Amino acid sequence: VLAHQPCEGSPQCEGCQRLSFDAQCRAVARGCPRLRRLDLREAQWYRFADHQASLAALFSACRELREVWVCPLAEVSLAAFESLCLCEKLTELHIEAGTRMSTIDETGKDLRSQHSGLYYCPTPISAAGMLLLARRCSSLVVLQLDSCDPTDDFARTISENLCRLRHLGLGEGPSDLTDAGALHLRACTNLTGLDLGGHYQLSDGTITTLVSQLTALEFLDVTDLDGLRDSALIAIGQLRRLHTLRIGDERGYGGDQWGFTDVGLTAVAVGCPALRILTFKGFDAASTTQT
């Protein structure tokens, strides 16, 4: 109902389609207190900024939520976000690239006038917002925050409060996350999935240290990292459970300008017997003969 999909002529669907978004939210909040999974990705046609009270009511009523997906280009106010944080049983939160947390930005910027394009729209969740989420929803197992612009405090909050986390996605960088901040993530020893794609400022040494500590990793995305060298790939080659690895540079560099060579790739090939998916972003076979 929330997706507002075409109804194919069914009388019941036609009736639902006449409901406003606010009415749909109220109906679900009233009638589905045991709702476990809420997917708002297809609700991107609505101007969420005009329906924050309904979203807050929906999150407040559905305290049994385990999995929430927020759609691209949606704005989620601080009130709605705080209501979401009341769902203490939440285990999966996916905030996709393009989602805006409209009033969580501590700088006070008017986010509604920014990032009108469809591709990149950062999600400025402040350190305070992240702390609220981490403390109230400590059962989180999957946290995917595309374009979230994380800071060092952000990473430290995750490492200190979300000990059960198994998948962390901080992709779609760049951000203010430094090597010192990223190293906090080595405390998340239960991680089986880590996405740091796009944070080009992270060094080879940081990636080497992280993968040396996070030995249970099965999924790793380190695309678009300027500092990725053979030493990091050699360390990645020690991940015996790794089944998916994403490397390379989709910004158009690729090939001979990659920082790693056949030495690093060979270490991965030999040392990762479970590897099933290897993605090279920016790979150009016509200009990259040796690799």
Side-chain angles (χ1 to χ4, degrees), residues 84-212:
L84 174 61
C85 292
L86 295 175
C87 302
E88 297 180 353
K89 297 180 181 179
L90 193 67
T91 59
E92 295 191 28
L93 175 59
H94 303 256
I95 300 180
E96 293 194 344
T99 309
R100 285 179 285 184
M101 310 301 275
S102 62
T103 61
I104 299 181
D105 186 5
E106 292 176 332
T107 66
K109 293 180 180 179
D110 181 9
L111 300 175
R112 301 185 187 194
S113 63
Q114 301 178 28
H115 314 296
S116 58
L118 295 178
Y119 175 62
Y120 181 74
C121 178
T123 305
I125 303 175
S126 69
M130 188 66 242
L131 185 61
L132 178 69
L133 174 69
R135 287 183 173 176
R136 289 186 178 177
C137 304
S138 58
S139 296
L140 276 172
V141 175
V142 175
L143 183 59
Q144 183 71 38
L145 303 175
D146 294 339
S147 302
C148 66
D149 296 342
T151 62
D152 291 351
D153 288 339
F154 199 101
R156 184 176 64 251
T157 296
I158 291 174
S159 66
E160 292 177 352
N161 295 275
L162 298 177
C163 59
R164 301 181 184 180
L165 208 59
R166 296 185 65 81
H167 178 90
L168 175 61
L170 299 177
E172 305 292 335
S175 68
D176 294 327
L177 183 66
T178 68
D179 286 324
L183 286 174
H184 288 301
L185 300 178
R186 59 186 169 181
C188 302
T189 54
N190 288 324
L191 281 179
T192 59
L194 179 61
D195 180 0
L196 293 174
H199 297 282
Y200 62 83
Q201 69 277 14
L202 297 182
S203 69
D204 179 78
T206 294
I207 301 302
T208 299
T209 301
L210 284 176
V211 299
S212 298

Side-chain angles (χ1 to χ4, degrees), residues 4 41 45 65 80-81 112 131 146 198 208 251 256 266 273:
H4 218 278
R41 286 175 294 177
W45 314 115
L65 277 171
F81 185 72
R112 301 185 187 194
L131 185 61
D146 294 339
T208 299
R251 292 173 296 171
D256 298 331
T266 300

